Amino acid sequence: MRVQALGYDMNGDALCIVCRHISEDTPVAEVAHDRDGVIQILCASYDHGEADAVTIHLHHVAPLLDSLELPAVHPGQYAQLNEGGWVVADMPPEEEEA
């Protein structure tokens, strides 16, 4: 199954890391597209632990990503929501290796 996400045609069976707060109606604040292709969908809280992450197939979260109206987010980049909308930036090297 193929889906459109982050400006790409992607494998819908790929796994994504999603902050569990997102499923509790907390807004998405950051979407990361790691160099290895993993997508992370995060809320604005930065004190997360392993218990705060769930793994979901991309095809389940593709509608959410589509609703965010994100610009293209290439591997090695992330998009953060600020007052003016989504801002895409390159990941620092230390975050890419984590």
Side-chain angles (χ1 to χ4, degrees):
M1 160 187 287
R2 306 296 293 178
V3 296
Q4 291 293 317
L6 306 180
Y8 289 88
D9 178 53
M10 302 178 86
N11 177 357
D13 290 330
L15 295 177
C16 300
I17 298 169
V18 180
C19 167
R20 71 172 173 80
H21 302 117
I22 302 300
S23 65
E24 298 168 356
D25 294 326
T26 301
V28 175
E30 183 173 315
V31 177
H33 191 178
D34 298 340
R35 287 209 184 278
D36 62 5
V38 172
I39 295 172
Q40 298 181 53
I41 304 170
L42 308 168
C43 74
S45 179
Y46 291 100
D47 58 347
H48 289 99
E50 286 184 30
D52 295 311
V54 294
T55 304
I56 300 174
H57 288 109
L58 178 58
H59 66 91
H60 293 294
V61 294
L64 169 65
L65 291 171
D66 189 46
S67 73
L68 298 175
E69 299 181 3
L70 290 160
V73 182
H74 304 290
Q77 293 185 323
Y78 65 94
Q80 279 188 323
L81 187 60
N82 67 24
E83 294 170 4
W86 291 101
V87 176
V88 177
D90 292 333
M91 290 181 184
E94 64 274 5
E95 288 187 25
E96 292 176 21
E97 297 171 8

